[in-house]
Amino acid sequence: MTRDEVVAFFDQRALAWQARDVGALARTHAENGIIRSPMFGELRGREAIASSYASLFRMFPDWTFNADRLLVDGNQSAQPFSATATHSSEFMGLPASGRSFRIEGVRLHVMKDGLIQEEQRIYDFTGLPRFTHDPADRKSTRLNSSHLGISYAV
C-alpha cells in the first residue's frame, strides 16, 4: 500500500470508530490478524477481534476514539490516540462506577494485502483511577487483568 492508501484506509476506519460499528472495525483486520492489547490480551483471528470490539462497546457504550496524526513507514504505521468513555459495566473485575475517564495511547500496525495483519496497543492507564477510586474511600481497589498476569492498585 502507498502512504496515501494507508492514510485513506485509516480515515475510513475512523468512520467505523465513530459509528461504533463492530463489523466494520473487524473487517479492517486480516482474517488471521493478531491484536496484542492490555485490555484483551492476545487475540488471533477476525472473529476474536470482532468479539473484543463488541465487548469494548458493551463495557463502554459511549467510547469515543480520537485518532491523532497517523505516522506511516512502508507497511507499518503508528497512530497516537485518546479515548473517552463512561465506566458503565464491569471492567477488569470492577463493577460499573458511572464515572467518565480519558486514556491516551498508541496503536502500532503492520499492514498486509490492504488490511491490518498485526496491531499492538499501548495504553496510558493513568486516567483510570478517576473512575475506579473514590478519593474519600481509603481502601485500595484492584483492577483484575489476570489474563496478562498483572493487576493495578489504585
Side-chain angles (χ1 to χ4, degrees), residues 3 6-7 9-10 13 65-82 105-111 116 118-122:
R3 182 188 188 293
V6 173
V7 169
F9 174 90
F10 281 95
R13 193 167 191 255
F65 181 84
N66 302 297
D68 292 336
R69 188 177 73 135
L70 183 68
L71 308 171
V72 180
D73 183 17
N75 72 331
Q76 298 180 59
S77 66
Q79 187 174 46
F81 72 92
S82 63
V106 65
R107 292 177 180 219
L108 307 174
H109 306 98
V110 176
M111 306 295 293
I116 299 168
E118 293 182 37
E119 181 175 315
Q120 172 74 46
R121 299 174 179 174
I122 303 166

Side-chain angles (χ1 to χ4, degrees), residues 54-69:
S55 292
L56 177 74
F57 297 138
R58 193 170 37 258
M59 289 184 289
F60 308 108
D62 62 345
W63 182 273
T64 303
F65 181 84
N66 302 297
D68 292 336
R69 188 177 73 135

Side-chain angles (χ1 to χ4, degrees), residues 1 9 26-31 46 110-118:
M1 295 175 76
F9 174 90
R27 286 188 298 275
T28 64
H29 294 269
E31 188 65 41
R46 191 179 288 158
V110 176
M111 306 295 293
K112 184 177 177 186
D113 299 327
L115 297 169
I116 299 168
Q117 180 63 45
E118 293 182 37

Side-chain angles (χ1 to χ4, degrees), residues 39 60 62-68 80-87 91 97 99-105 122-132:
M39 288 174 60
F60 308 108
D62 62 345
W63 182 273
T64 303
F65 181 84
N66 302 297
D68 292 336
F81 72 92
S82 63
T84 57
T86 304
H87 182 207
F91 173 67
S97 69
R99 293 188 178 120
S100 297
F101 68 96
R102 180 177 191 271
I103 63 169
E104 295 183 0
I122 303 166
Y123 300 150
D124 175 2
F125 280 125
T126 56
L128 290 182
R130 273 188 281 168
F131 85 81
T132 62

